[in-house]
Amino acid sequence: MAIIVPTILETTSQSFASKIEQAQNRVHRIQIDVIEKQFRDNQTLLPENWPPLPTDVHFDIHLMVTKPLEWVDQIISQHSHLIISQIEALDDQIAFLAKIKKVGVKAGLAFDVNTPLSKLNLEALSLLDHILLMAIPVGFAGQKFHSSVLEKIKEIKSKIPTMEIGIDGGIDLESAEACIKAGADVLNVNSFLWSDFENRLTQLQELTLK
């Protein structure tokens, strides 16, 4: 069964804390996007400025940074459940994944909407817990869903059936249903969800039960 994971993509500590507070009693898992300006011109609130995170929620940290390996130690200290890097930013996928796994945290790789799955180093599979597929170009919220991601979901499910697959970007009721039918396990939702949090979370969660 797929799960709905609210995404935090904020630039101020006030808005960041407000969304964490709003979501933490309704879900057990939240994704925090970390974007640095050198990677995309849309820098988010960086970890050193985050307010204290609750310990009763699993946090998935999605790194959109130029040197992901250098961020791992700081991110691990933030009650991280899963740390994900954009695969395009990694020179050594195995080194990144191994550093995370060494301390007992789950590790993932994210593919931008036009990045082929062939970019995955197959030798890294034994260290990989999660594949995040972007359904919009990485870095900015509120973009249109790219349906090409549905074929990527199906390809992963056919080749690595036990892999947890997350989808990020452009998720609304229609695209969520399509992703679930294709085999997605996690739907990371930002703009659509936060515009009417309680109602839309309920609607999305009901889709996962069909």
Side-chain angles (χ1 to χ4, degrees), residues 69-126:
L69 194 61
E70 296 180 5
W71 289 69
V72 170
D73 289 335
Q74 183 182 18
I75 294 299
I76 283 172
S77 68
Q78 298 285 348
H79 310 302
S80 303
H81 163 255
L82 166 67
I83 300 175
I84 305 164
S85 171
Q86 285 298 133
I87 200 168
E88 303 84 11
L90 288 171
D91 296 322
D92 189 335
Q93 298 170 28
I94 292 174
F96 173 78
L97 298 171
K99 187 170 184 179
I100 296 168
K101 298 291 286 184
K102 187 176 180 180
V103 294
V105 175
K106 292 186 176 181
L109 296 174
F111 292 72
D112 206 351
V113 66
N114 292 319
T115 299
L117 295 175
S118 59
K119 290 286 287 185
L120 175 63
N121 180 349
L122 296 181
E123 294 181 7
L125 274 176
S126 63

Side-chain angles (χ1 to χ4, degrees), residues 2-206:
I3 63 170
I4 305 302
V5 175
T7 298
I8 307 290
L9 194 162
E10 299 301 319
T11 59
T12 70
S13 57
Q14 182 177 1
S15 60
F16 183 103
S18 175
K19 287 188 173 180
I20 294 288
E21 183 179 2
Q22 194 173 1
Q24 71 179 96
N25 294 322
R26 291 295 313 276
V27 299
H28 73 276
R29 190 166 166 181
I30 296 171
Q31 177 174 290
I32 301 175
D33 285 350
V34 179
I35 307 173
E36 68 171 342
K37 198 165 188 177
Q38 294 93 322
F39 187 80
R40 287 291 184 275
D41 191 19
N42 184 32
Q43 183 162 300
T44 60
L45 190 71
L46 297 180
E48 60 266 27
N49 298 314
W50 292 353
L53 298 179
T55 58
D56 58 346
V57 177
H58 284 162
F59 286 97
D60 300 351
I61 313 299
H62 180 191
L63 295 174
M64 289 165 271
V65 299
T66 54
K67 297 180 179 178
L69 194 61
E70 296 180 5
W71 289 69
V72 170
D73 289 335
Q74 183 182 18
I75 294 299
I76 283 172
S77 68
Q78 298 285 348
H79 310 302
S80 303
H81 163 255
L82 166 67
I83 300 175
I84 305 164
S85 171
Q86 285 298 133
I87 200 168
E88 303 84 11
L90 288 171
D91 296 322
D92 189 335
Q93 298 170 28
I94 292 174
F96 173 78
L97 298 171
K99 187 170 184 179
I100 296 168
K101 298 291 286 184
K102 187 176 180 180
V103 294
V105 175
K106 292 186 176 181
L109 296 174
F111 292 72
D112 206 351
V113 66
N114 292 319
T115 299
L117 295 175
S118 59
K119 290 286 287 185
L120 175 63
N121 180 349
L122 296 181
E123 294 181 7
L125 274 176
S126 63
L127 298 168
L128 188 60
D129 299 295
H130 181 96
I131 291 178
L132 180 63
L133 300 176
M134 299 302 300
I136 60 173
V138 69
F140 294 86
Q143 302 179 74
K144 185 178 178 181
F145 179 83
H146 286 233
S147 60
S148 59
V149 76
L150 301 175
E151 290 306 313
K152 284 184 174 178
I153 299 171
K154 294 173 184 176
E155 182 178 346
I156 295 169
K157 279 298 179 186
S158 69
K159 294 180 178 178
I160 324 169
T162 59
M163 181 62 63
E164 182 179 73
I165 302 173
I167 309 300
D168 192 343
I171 298 294
D172 56 20
L173 294 178
E174 182 180 356
S175 58
E177 186 169 16
C179 288
I180 292 168
K181 287 181 177 178
D185 303 294
V186 178
L187 302 180
N188 299 284
V189 195
N190 188 0
S191 303
F192 176 77
L193 177 59
W194 293 111
S195 60
D196 185 4
F197 184 81
E198 292 295 332
N199 287 331
R200 289 191 165 165
L201 179 62
T202 298
Q203 291 174 324
L204 287 163
Q205 289 175 334
E206 286 175 349

